[in-house]
Amino acid sequence: MQLQLQTWQEVEAYLARSTAIIIPIGSTEQHGPNGFIGTDALCPEFLARAIGDGEDVLVAPTISVGMAQHHLGFAGSITLRPSTLMAVIQDTVNSLAVHGFDSFYFLNGHGGNIATVTAAFSEIYAESSLGRADHNRPPLRCKLRNWWDLQGVQSLSQELFGEAEGRHATCSEVSLTYYAYPEHVKHADMTPEIAPTGPIYAADDYRRRFPDGRIGSNPALASVAAGEQLFHAAIAELGEDFKAFSAGAD
Ligand code: NI
């Protein structure tokens, strides 16, 4: 169930059954010659909505712009500063907590968000621990889950793509978006076939090291069929992971 498609009465009724919610979070940044700029937001959103439609789970609007300063050398990329993204996360959690939500499952699609999201969680916990939050508020729990880190996804992407999977504009993430949006599949030459790898600093340096935007990948191997396999592998594991979290076990 998407929060945006509910009435407030329906959300109140949901809160009587569950106080857990999934919040997809991603990024809006270049993904090489054949990947969508929305890849990192579209992947967790697609997976979260599938879980939300299959089970009685509420899914918040996607936080679609993340920490992507290193991609600003490529047209269409948008970034929030880490401090801005932390504020967005804190305000989102605190708003939902006002109504009684206490368990926040952030399903993440972008490696560059991890440090900032984790720091935002620490700020949220510090507000409670330092006594600045409303004393009537139940303790809040926030969890970050990177969809690409799921065991089933990792082993499948290794099996399907091996070393061509890469680190950015990966075969797996491009495949998953192709499965979600098959009418937008793109074809492009990859030269070299497997992109270079290296460290990430600021935007100009990134563009020099990784001229077409990819890091270590050959997403020409991405396909709708691979995306479908990855989707099913991810959904099975995510559903269980979310259940364990909302039950307080994880
Ligand atoms: Ni990505």
Side-chain angles (χ1 to χ4, degrees), residues 31 40 109 168 173:
H31 269 74
D40 286 356
H168 180 66
E173 61 182 346

Side-chain angles (χ1 to χ4, degrees), residues 180-200:
Y181 298 92
E183 68 278 22
H184 293 287
V185 169
K186 299 174 201 300
H187 302 281
D189 278 340
M190 301 291 165
T191 312
E193 216 167 71
I194 292 193
T197 58
I200 296 173

Side-chain angles (χ1 to χ4, degrees), residues 20-232:
I21 187 164
I22 301 179
I23 305 176
I25 183 165
S27 183
T28 300
E29 65 186 44
Q30 68 80 20
H31 269 74
N34 70 340
F36 308 149
I37 284 177
T39 298
D40 286 356
L42 296 172
C43 287
E45 179 176 271
F46 183 53
L47 295 172
R49 287 181 180 177
I51 293 169
D53 290 344
E55 320 240 356
D56 185 27
V57 175
L58 205 55
V59 178
T62 304
I63 299 174
S64 292
V65 179
M67 216 302 288
Q69 58 76 22
H70 46 291
H71 293 294
L72 286 184
F74 300 88
S77 300
I78 305 175
T79 193
L80 299 180
R81 290 164 191 272
S83 52
T84 312
L85 181 57
M86 285 173 65
V88 168
I89 292 166
Q90 289 173 259
D91 288 357
T92 302
V93 165
N94 286 328
S95 297
L96 291 166
V98 167
H99 312 300
F101 289 96
D102 62 10
S103 301
F104 303 88
Y105 187 94
F106 283 77
L107 185 57
N108 181 37
H110 176 49
N113 283 345
I114 295 171
T116 306
V117 173
T118 306
F121 291 174
S122 295
E123 282 286 351
I124 289 163
Y125 299 144
E127 273 185 33
S128 293
S129 301
L130 292 168
R132 281 157 52 207
D134 182 340
H135 288 284
N136 291 324
R137 199 166 80 169
L140 305 182
R141 295 184 307 130
C142 301
K143 181 182 173 104
L144 177 67
R145 171 61 75 203
N146 304 315
W147 78 267
W148 70 89
D149 273 342
L150 295 165
Q151 232 172 9
V153 170
Q154 284 279 320
S155 52
L156 188 56
S157 63
Q158 266 312 301
E159 183 188 318
L160 291 169
F161 307 117
E163 65 160 21
E165 167 71 356
R167 278 180 55 205
H168 180 66
T170 66
C171 302
S172 295
E173 61 182 346
V174 173
S175 294
L176 188 60
T177 59
Y178 283 3
Y179 176 55
Y181 298 92
E183 68 278 22
H184 293 287
V185 169
K186 299 174 201 300
H187 302 281
D189 278 340
M190 301 291 165
T191 312
E193 216 167 71
I194 292 193
T197 58
I200 296 173
Y201 300 106
D204 290 349
D205 181 79
Y206 186 107
R207 176 108 193 204
R208 269 194 301 276
R209 288 176 194 271
F210 316 111
D212 71 4
R214 300 173 291 146
I215 305 180
S217 65
N218 177 16
L221 302 175
S223 69
V224 173
E228 183 172 11
Q229 281 182 269
L230 288 158
F231 170 80
H232 290 295

